[in-house]
Amino acid sequence: MTEHERRTRFDDLYAQYDRRVFAYCLHVTSDRDLANDVYQEVFVKVYLMMHTVRDTEKTVHWLFRIARNECLNALKVRQRNEKRTMTLDEGRDASYTSDPAEQSDEAAHVRWGLNQLSDEHREALLLAECEGFTIKEIAEITGTSASNVKVRIHRAKQKLQMLLHPILNENA
Amino acid sequence: MHDRIQELISDFLYHGTTPEQETELFDLCSKYPASAELLRRHLLLSLKLRKLREGTEIKPELRNETLRRINLLQAQREQSDTSSTTIVPSSPRRLGFAHLFGAVAATAVIAVFITLAFRGYHAPTPSTAAVAPIIDTFVVVLKDTVTQLQPVYIVRTERTREVPESPVSITDDAGPEGIAAQARSTTEAIGQGQGRDDEVHTESMAIAQLPLQERTRHFLEQYNAMLTSVESVQLTSNDRISD
């Protein structure tokens, strides 16, 4: 693959998915600064590894798999740093961490609820709901079985429904 | 029943239902209000989660910075591609053989070095062998918490080289008085050694009869232990080792 071909394929992918990748990074990390860094790293890695993609139909899964791994790595590093410095929540969006009672915005309330889920459950739910992937596709991205993905989504929704009980009832 | 509804809703939301399953789901919802309520709550939650996408605009600066990094990478790669084609014209096959020969040569050089190092360590050179002193006995010396074993050399008629580690070192300009004084100190040292615990002495003698490598390792262990033990001790000028 020549550099020109590599760049052309990268530009197509970037134009199509940059916003979705950023949204995913933001939801998974719950931290805008961290999401900015991860987003850049994802696309740099995608550019460098463009030649490894053989099945063009699965390029999107591959892209999100890279995004997922980068997010998980960034979260691990952040957790390590937080343990060292004990400055929790400093860089995070307030809407992800602060008390829901203080939040007037409904979206902020949902983000808070998402942040209460485990990483695995949140990830599966976001890929399904926000990114619109099917169960099979999520299984491919996360490297797990389809039935496992179903269970994760189901549990995530159960917990989220409990947490967002007030706003879900308001709309009744 | 509840499980079936859950399964149908899950499949319906994530594009996994067949038309028959969709009909089944809607039939159940029309028959049972609880099922309809469950579906409504799931749909509402999905709607709220999908709305989250709205607040995720990328700042133009972030996009520019990412593309700037990609441009830089592209330029670097193009440059390295050009330079590599001019500098390395060899085929992969030839490069593979070169690597193989390189590895063999490197292994041979390392083997020669190891052999030389071992021979040099074990076998004394002719000049040192000629002047090497003969150890007559050992003295057990207790320093701090460490038991040290020191060799004692007894003066013989032949000329011997000075051994700095020895507690009794004979020099040419020592004179008869110096030799007498050193002999006295040797006797005292031997006396001290004999006064020690017999067990320690026996153990030390056993160590003395070990091969050179084992003995060296033992001394090193003791030395390391001593280093640890003297960490908290304030050394004075009395501790200085002098001739």
Side-chain angles (χ1 to χ4, degrees), chain A residues 6-7 18 106 129-130, chain B residues 14 48 53 63 71 77:
Chain A
R6 180 193 292 270
R7 185 58 196 252
D18 73 325
E106 195 178 270
E129 294 290 355
C130 295
Chain B
Y14 308 119
K48 292 195 186 304
R53 271 202 233 171
R63 205 172 257 142
N71 290 340
R77 289 180 65 87

Side-chain angles (χ1 to χ4, degrees), chain B residues 161-175:
Chain B
R161 202 177 65 146
E162 187 182 348
V163 182
E165 292 80 16
S166 166
V168 185
S169 61
I170 306 302
T171 54
D172 286 344
D173 54 350

Side-chain angles (χ1 to χ4, degrees), chain B residues 132-154:
Chain B
I134 301 156
I135 300 165
D136 288 280
T137 184
F138 289 91
V139 179
V140 181
V141 182
L142 204 64
K143 273 192 178 175
D144 293 330
T145 57
V146 180
T147 309
Q148 286 189 351
L149 196 68
Q150 293 192 347
V152 174
Y153 304 93
I154 293 177

Side-chain angles (χ1 to χ4, degrees), chain B residues 10-78:
Chain B
S10 176
D11 289 342
F12 174 69
L13 288 173
Y14 308 119
H15 330 289
T17 42
T18 57
E20 293 78 38
Q21 283 174 323
E22 273 185 37
T23 315
E24 187 188 349
L25 175 66
F26 295 136
D27 282 349
L28 284 168
C29 286
S30 57
K31 271 186 209 165
Y32 306 103
S35 303
E37 173 60 16
L38 197 65
L39 179 63
R40 188 196 68 81
R41 288 174 77 89
H42 272 276
L43 285 171
L44 200 59
L45 186 62
S46 292
L47 204 68
K48 292 195 186 304
L49 286 168
R50 280 167 203 183
K51 265 190 183 175
L52 287 180
R53 271 202 233 171
E54 288 168 11
T56 54
E57 289 81 24
I58 307 172
K59 286 181 186 167
E61 303 91 67
L62 178 63
R63 205 172 257 142
N64 293 342
E65 176 60 19
T66 310
L67 289 174
R68 190 192 63 77
R69 282 181 70 181
I70 300 296
N71 290 340
L72 204 69
L73 269 173
Q74 188 185 5
Q76 278 175 354
R77 289 180 65 87
E78 276 170 352

Side-chain angles (χ1 to χ4, degrees), chain B residues 202-219:
Chain B
T202 316
E203 193 185 325
S204 303
M205 288 306 288
I207 292 162
Q209 276 154 23
L210 289 171
L212 178 65
Q213 238 178 328
E214 285 292 306
R215 232 183 313 146
T216 313
R217 191 179 57 76
H218 179 78
F219 287 145

